[in-house]
Amino acid sequence: MIGKLIKGAALVVVGALVALTLTGFGAVNMISGVVNMFGSNPFQVSQTDRSHPVLLKSIQDLSRYHAAVSNFELVLDIEDDVAGVPDIIAGKRTLFVAAGTVDAYVDLSGLADKDLTLSPDGKSVTVLLPESQLDKPNLDHDRSYVFSQDRGVLDQLTDAIEVPQQAQFFKLAETKMTTAAEASELRKQATDNTKAMLTGMFGALGIQVTFVESPAG
């Protein structure tokens, strides 16, 4: 008796699958027929853009001379452990690839009259140049991504419910890029490039430039 019941149930399942398959083929054939009738697919999806116009909030005058830029790439290897719990149960290790740039600039608005000393004959000038500064890192989101991630069972369940947050990786990458930029020759290069720019500008006016170090430098 049990064998007959199992065999009957199997026949019902197979029949249902065959019916669904035939129904699917029927739907495909019907759509194909409609496409052939009209010469194109009448069910094509269209998109309407109802976005508001871009609103200009403000325009600011800039006096910074961006004189140098550095390109950085790094791989963050971050491991989160739960005390007393095996990694297979809870914990996470993430490899995050980050790429971005850091600009170095000289704020020429800091040049006051006392910082520019013109010779009596007007043929030379002494310039007290402000120190170069580093801008905030600009991360390239198209080139920054999670390369791999090992997660415990509980973390996998959490990520299935909540969208994993990557803000912490971007913030840490910015911090590390700033530190690397500070340790590099970026600011010195920006200062040298600014001096070259001012030398060329004054030179075009027939004025020779001499630079002196800032007291804070």
Side-chain angles (χ1 to χ4, degrees):
M1 179 63 70
I2 296 176
K4 291 182 177 180
L5 291 175
I6 294 175
K7 184 175 180 181
L11 291 174
V12 171
V13 172
V14 172
L17 291 175
V18 171
L20 289 174
T21 302
L22 292 177
T23 301
F25 281 126
V28 171
N29 291 332
M30 181 180 68
I31 294 175
S32 298
V34 173
V35 171
N36 292 332
M37 181 184 301
F38 291 95
S40 62
N41 186 0
F43 303 107
Q44 290 181 346
V45 178
S46 62
Q47 185 180 70
T48 302
D49 186 354
R50 295 190 177 90
S51 304
H52 293 187
V54 177
L55 178 62
L56 177 62
K57 300 290 289 184
S58 64
I59 296 178
Q60 294 178 309
D61 293 330
L62 297 179
S63 56
R64 295 178 177 180
Y65 177 62
H66 286 255
V69 60
S70 58
N71 294 279
F72 291 102
E73 288 186 0
L74 68 149
V75 178
L76 300 177
D77 187 348
I78 308 300
E79 186 171 1
D80 299 317
D81 291 321
V82 180
V85 181
D87 292 341
I88 194 173
I89 301 299
K92 184 184 299 183
R93 182 179 179 183
T94 305
L95 294 180
F96 185 84
V97 178
T101 59
V102 178
D103 287 4
Y105 65 90
V106 174
D107 189 356
L108 298 179
S109 66
L111 284 175
D113 291 340
K114 61 182 178 60
D115 299 322
L116 297 172
T117 305
L118 188 65
S119 64
D121 58 6
K123 294 184 178 180
S124 63
V125 63
T126 301
V127 178
L128 180 61
L129 195 65
E131 288 188 332
S132 60
Q133 304 294 327
L134 294 181
D135 218 343
K136 181 180 179 181
N138 181 25
L139 289 181
D140 187 340
H141 288 254
D142 291 334
R143 296 168 55 207
S144 301
Y145 58 93
V146 174
F147 177 75
S148 68
Q149 192 172 66
D150 296 327
R151 299 166 295 172
V153 176
L154 295 180
D155 293 275
Q156 294 182 34
L157 293 175
T158 300
D159 290 344
I161 300 173
E162 302 176 357
V163 178
Q165 300 296 320
Q166 298 183 7
Q168 58 172 325
F169 302 123
F170 284 103
K171 185 176 181 180
L172 181 57
E174 287 183 354
T175 301
K176 289 185 176 293
M177 285 184 184
T178 298
T179 301
E182 286 283 6
S184 70
E185 296 290 319
L186 181 59
R187 291 179 61 180
K188 179 181 181 301
Q189 185 67 43
T191 298
D192 292 343
N193 291 346
T194 303
K195 289 180 179 180
M197 182 272 294
L198 292 176
T199 299
M201 184 179 68
F202 281 110
L205 299 175
I207 302 175
Q208 184 178 0
V209 185
T210 300
F211 295 97
V212 296
E213 293 292 332
S214 171

